[in-house]
Structures are given as structure tokens and as C-alpha cells.
Amino acid sequence: MSREQRIRVDEILRQPAPEGPRSVEEIRAGFRQLMAQMIVPHHSIRTAPTTLGDRPALRVEPSEAPGRGPDGGPGTGTILYFHGGGWVFGSPETALSLTGNLVARTGLGAYSPDYRLAPEHPFPAAIEDTLSAYRALLDRGEDPSAIVFAGDSAGGGLAVTTCLAARDADLPLPAAVLAFSPGTDATRTGESMDTKEGIDPIFTRAALEHTGAMYLAGADPHQPLLSPAVHADLTGLPPMLIQVGANEVLLDDSTRLAARARAAGVDVILDVTADVPHVFQSFAGVLDEADEALDRAALFLRQRIHAAATART
């Protein structure tokens, strides 16, 4: 672990931003520019546009022989990956450093749906699209015990809420949920919203409330699909791995989600890394902690897929 690496990442994320609220297009362009700096393991993956449900999606597969993991073990299974971006910006392409690294490390193929974004399509459009993507996999005959949900930030929240929506629709649930710095509390009541202000190099309460209002569009945030960390019954959800950085204003979105999951009898691992920012895993190849966290995440996914396969036989 390198203090110099962490300082460098913090400096990258603290680049001066334009004063005052930015337009949606400015926010989206700025995020694309930031994520274009991330290292994507192109030599280990191949990508192709596709459709899942009624939405465009990105298919990401390991470049080595299909069905084999990088350690030579079985790689059979599917990651359904939900990109981050506050439900307002981002795309499967901006998340490719994350999706690609998970695919390269697990040998599993992935689909990343291009779900609809606010303010053009506020809540619950994103969840409708992610649930539709999951239904499409099931309709194709994929075994739910060979599917895992994963996502970062808003997409990490969607990994959880899509599980809730699937459970409430009486659909079989996936084998696991992996959430990087998930957004799970639209009420913004976590203590870290205030205690990490200024320490977090990316977010402020004002910035989160600005984009959050676009997604809510007047909806009450005090409901399970918007604030699962404080309002959802998580009973019956599959095993979860939640990874978060200690420098995040959204830290308590993860800690309270983990506590709520544990109280509901869910197998949950809360993985907190010191002195790193929101979705620090994006800095794989630059930050040692990012690569180490992705290795742990990949191990978790492989173990859950293996456990489900063993249970089937």
C-alpha cells in the first residue's frame, strides 16, 4: 500500500471544478473525461454491443478460452453489472475499468445494461430497466444460481434494489451481490454525510442533493427502493460483499446497509479500506488498494458461483 499513490489519486479527484451548479450535459461530459483516464485491461477482455431486455447493453467476455478462469478453474457464470453515475450520468463504457477487471479476474462473462438516466427518466426507470435485464437472462434459460449482480455507486445501489424488486416479483434471486461504494440512502441521513465532508475528494452534500433531486423528481426518498440501507426488509437476499472507502461521505450507506442485511439474516461482508475515495477500485493499475480489493471481489464471486454449482450437483 502506497501513501504516495493515495495522495496522487486524491489530487486527481480534487481538480478544480467550475463554480456553481453544472448542467446535466456538463456533468456527463466531465464524468466521461474522468473515467477515460482509468486503465481498462483490454488485453484480457473483449467487448461487443448487444441488447438485454429492451435496452442496449455491453457484453464483456474474457479473451482467453470461454468458460475458463484466469487461474485455470471454471469460469462459467454471468456478472450482471450496473454502472455508477448517480442515476444521472455514466454508461457501461465509463465503468469498463471495473467490469473489465472483474471479468479478467474471474473468467466470468458480463453484461452491463445501459439503463435509462434521470432527469429524462427519473425513478423508477433505472430499476425497471435493470430488472428487465435480469428477466431477459432468465428468459434465455440462464440459471439464476450462476448469475451475480455487481455495481458501483448508484449501480451498487441498483444491485441491491434490483434484488429487492426481483424478490417482490417472485423471481429467483442471483447467487450473490457485489457492491462498490453503493448509494443506498436517498434520505442522506448518514453521519458520514457530515463527518466526511471535505475529506471526500469527490462528493459534497450539495452535489449529491443536486443530482439526487433529478432522480427523485419529487418521489418520497423514505421507501425501500430508494433507501434500502434504512427502509428495506432485506430478508432472503443472497450473500453480499460491500466494499467502500473510509474517506467517503457515502460511507454510512455501506455500513448501515451491512448492519441491516446482517440483522435480516443475510450473509454479508463489509470491506472498508482506509484513506481511499469513492469507488477507489476504478484506479486499478494505479492504486495498490484498488487491485487488492478487486482480487477480493473476484474471489468472492468465484466462491459464490462455485458454491451454487456444487449445490446443484
Side-chain angles (χ1 to χ4, degrees), residues 57-144:
L58 187 68
R59 175 64 172 164
V60 186
E61 296 177 305
S63 57
E64 56 263 5
R68 306 299 292 179
D71 57 359
T76 303
T78 298
I79 301 169
L80 188 56
Y81 193 91
F82 307 130
H83 71 80
W87 299 276
V88 171
F89 49 97
S91 68
E93 288 75 21
T94 61
L96 196 52
S97 63
L98 296 163
T99 317
N101 269 296
L102 289 177
V103 167
R105 283 169 160 82
T106 62
L108 303 172
Y111 288 96
S112 185
D114 191 8
Y115 58 86
R116 289 170 294 168
L117 299 175
E120 298 90 342
H121 305 283
F123 173 79
I127 296 173
E128 291 172 348
D129 290 346
T130 54
L131 183 62
S132 175
Y134 182 49
R135 284 184 186 273
L137 292 180
L138 298 178
D139 290 345
R140 293 180 185 182
E142 293 206 24
D143 189 328

Side-chain angles (χ1 to χ4, degrees), residues 9-294:
V9 167
D10 193 83
E11 289 174 346
I12 291 172
L13 295 173
R14 289 186 188 275
Q15 293 298 313
E19 293 186 5
R22 293 181 294 165
S23 69
V24 171
E25 285 309 316
E26 288 172 331
I27 293 172
R28 290 172 178 169
F31 188 68
R32 286 194 299 269
Q33 183 177 13
L34 171 65
M35 298 311 292
Q37 302 176 53
M38 305 305 158
I39 298 172
V40 176
H42 290 292
H43 62 286
S44 300
I45 62 171
R46 57 178 181 266
T47 64
T50 186
T51 301
L52 197 58
D54 57 359
R55 294 294 303 166
L58 187 68
R59 175 64 172 164
V60 186
E61 296 177 305
S63 57
E64 56 263 5
R68 306 299 292 179
D71 57 359
T76 303
T78 298
I79 301 169
L80 188 56
Y81 193 91
F82 307 130
H83 71 80
W87 299 276
V88 171
F89 49 97
S91 68
E93 288 75 21
T94 61
L96 196 52
S97 63
L98 296 163
T99 317
N101 269 296
L102 289 177
V103 167
R105 283 169 160 82
T106 62
L108 303 172
Y111 288 96
S112 185
D114 191 8
Y115 58 86
R116 289 170 294 168
L117 299 175
E120 298 90 342
H121 305 283
F123 173 79
I127 296 173
E128 291 172 348
D129 290 346
T130 54
L131 183 62
S132 175
Y134 182 49
R135 284 184 186 273
L137 292 180
L138 298 178
D139 290 345
R140 293 180 185 182
E142 293 206 24
D143 189 328
S145 65
I147 299 172
V148 292
F149 289 178
D152 65 281
S153 193
L158 284 170
V160 176
T161 55
T162 304
C163 259
L164 294 174
R167 183 197 64 188
D168 294 346
D170 294 323
L171 295 176
L173 296 184
V177 171
L178 167 64
F180 297 137
S181 301
T184 59
D185 177 22
T187 69
R188 310 297 183 201
T189 53
E191 289 185 6
S192 59
M193 287 294 300
D194 298 316
T195 60
K196 299 298 181 178
E197 182 94 16
I199 297 172
D200 189 322
I202 303 175
F203 291 134
T204 62
R205 177 184 287 276
L208 288 170
E209 289 179 347
H210 177 57
T211 53
M214 297 182 197
Y215 182 55
L216 288 174
D220 181 3
H222 298 83
Q223 52 182 300
L225 295 184
L226 285 169
S227 300
V230 288
H231 290 293
D233 175 6
L234 303 180
T235 302
L237 263 60
M240 302 172 63
L241 170 60
I242 304 166
Q243 291 187 341
V244 65
N247 286 3
E248 303 191 38
V249 295
L250 294 180
L251 173 61
D252 284 351
D253 284 41
S254 289
T255 59
R256 290 182 299 161
L257 177 68
R260 196 170 189 85
R262 184 170 59 249
V266 176
D267 289 339
V268 59
I269 301 169
L270 175 63
D271 182 350
V272 183
T273 298
D275 298 326
V276 294
H278 187 67
V279 194
F280 64 94
Q281 299 87 346
S282 296
F283 286 90
V286 174
L287 182 67
D288 289 345
E289 290 88 341
D291 286 286
E292 292 165 3
L294 284 164

